[in-house]
Amino acid sequence: MPRHQELDFCFFKIFLLILIDPIWFAVNSTLYSTHISSFLLAHQAFWHCLILTIIPFPMIFPPKNPEARTEDLYWVFLAFFVLYPTIFSNSDVILDYIKMKVQRISHIYFGLFGMILSVWMMIGCVVSWEFDFYRTISGCIFMFCICSLTFFYLVFSNFGNDYYISLPSASQPFSGIKLYVVTFGLFHLMVGIAVINLTGAWPICLLLLASSFVFCSDAYSCLFTETYIFYDHRPLMIDDVENNSDNEIVCYVVVRRMYEKMKNPEDLPKIFKFDDEVEDYLYLKA
């Protein structure tokens, strides 16, 4: 294909992506590629949840009757709208406190399970409002869950790390058909059918359920993976043109508790580190 046709096709794909899912395009365009290349769907799920739950918040928790007071929750939402960006615009401080040079897989576990808990609490808030639970309390808990979702996302992400973790393709949940992914999918599908019949805000609930499905699948794959890989963040093109190559593999890691259960340990790379010793190795390497 001639070069000008390749460029035209590339621009067409970008234009189509902007039309279909502008959030996906914005995330891919704004964040550094190695920050989202691992667990891409989880990153996208978070940003879709964040944007698509904050913007329609007043419509998710409307008053039950015209005579109900609406000012209380709107004032809380206004305060949240001011405080949230103020707090998380200083996310560098949070990352410096909770992150180190080497990403830990325990941070990924903790972040994913925290995000799962947050989205299910958000679903609970929406559904409970339909059953005449206090609107203001439900809305406040919902906004608190948005904050907790953001915090756990920062823990889960590799922002602030020099070395980050990626699963080998065989262990990734969406590479091929996996039984646990199908199981999670069926469970979330059944809950989604129930939610449609329970609440008028079912589109938001389905979005949260889809995100929970992605988080659960990633959490399971991380929890039971036998190996994972440490990569080094690629330098920015503007910082280092000559060395801006593909992701650099720093080392292969084998989970010690899974090592004895491996059926084919001979398939492992010749050089690898166990998970309980890799952190010291990478700090010495750095």
Side-chain angles (χ1 to χ4, degrees), residues 254-268:
V254 175
V255 180
R256 192 182 291 274
R257 63 182 171 82
M258 305 294 289
Y259 181 69
E260 296 179 357
K261 304 176 185 178
M262 287 184 179
K263 296 180 180 179
N264 300 307
E266 64 275 3
D267 293 339
L268 291 172

Side-chain angles (χ1 to χ4, degrees), residues 46-87:
F46 163 76
W47 287 105
H48 280 73
C49 278
L50 182 67
I51 295 171
L52 297 178
T53 54
I54 290 179
I55 294 175
F57 176 82
M59 294 179 286
I60 300 174
F61 294 95
K64 281 286 187 180
N65 57 73
E67 298 178 358
R69 291 181 58 192
T70 60
E71 296 84 358
D72 50 358
L73 192 56
Y74 288 159
W75 278 112
V76 173
F77 175 68
L78 182 61
F80 165 82
F81 204 75
V82 173
L83 290 175
Y84 179 87
T86 303
I87 295 172

Side-chain angles (χ1 to χ4, degrees), residues 150-283:
T150 306
F151 172 77
F152 286 117
Y153 172 72
L154 291 175
V155 176
F156 155 77
S157 70
N158 60 39
F159 303 139
N161 299 121
D162 291 341
Y163 301 117
Y164 68 96
I165 291 171
S166 180
L167 298 182
S169 58
S171 299
Q172 293 175 9
F174 303 106
S175 61
I177 300 175
K178 308 287 176 65
L179 178 60
Y180 67 89
V181 175
V182 174
T183 304
F184 284 135
L186 291 175
F187 169 74
H188 285 83
L189 179 62
M190 289 187 292
V191 176
I193 294 172
V195 163
I196 290 174
N197 296 314
L198 288 175
T199 175
W202 58 265
I204 296 297
C205 290
L206 291 184
L207 170 66
L208 294 170
L209 282 170
S211 301
S212 172
F213 165 65
V214 173
F215 298 152
C216 287
S217 300
D218 281 337
Y220 186 97
S221 63
C222 289
L223 199 58
F224 293 100
T225 186
E226 297 176 341
T227 63
Y228 54 90
I229 307 168
F230 268 106
Y231 287 96
D232 192 359
H233 281 294
R234 285 179 294 178
L236 287 170
M237 181 71 76
I238 56 175
D239 294 335
D240 191 343
V241 177
E242 294 181 357
N243 296 322
N244 190 31
S245 57
D246 291 336
N247 295 7
E248 180 184 350
I249 295 177
V250 179
C251 71
Y252 293 91
V253 182
V254 175
V255 180
R256 192 182 291 274
R257 63 182 171 82
M258 305 294 289
Y259 181 69
E260 296 179 357
K261 304 176 185 178
M262 287 184 179
K263 296 180 180 179
N264 300 307
E266 64 275 3
D267 293 339
L268 291 172
K270 293 181 179 179
I271 301 175
F272 64 85
K273 298 290 181 182
F274 284 109
D275 58 322
D276 54 4
E277 62 186 19
V278 67
E279 191 170 326
D280 293 336
Y281 166 76
L282 290 177
Y283 271 110

Side-chain angles (χ1 to χ4, degrees), residues 106-116 152-153 155-156:
S106 59
H107 285 167
I108 298 177
Y109 300 153
F110 184 66
L112 285 169
F113 283 115
M115 289 194 289
I116 293 168
F152 286 117
Y153 172 72
V155 176
F156 155 77

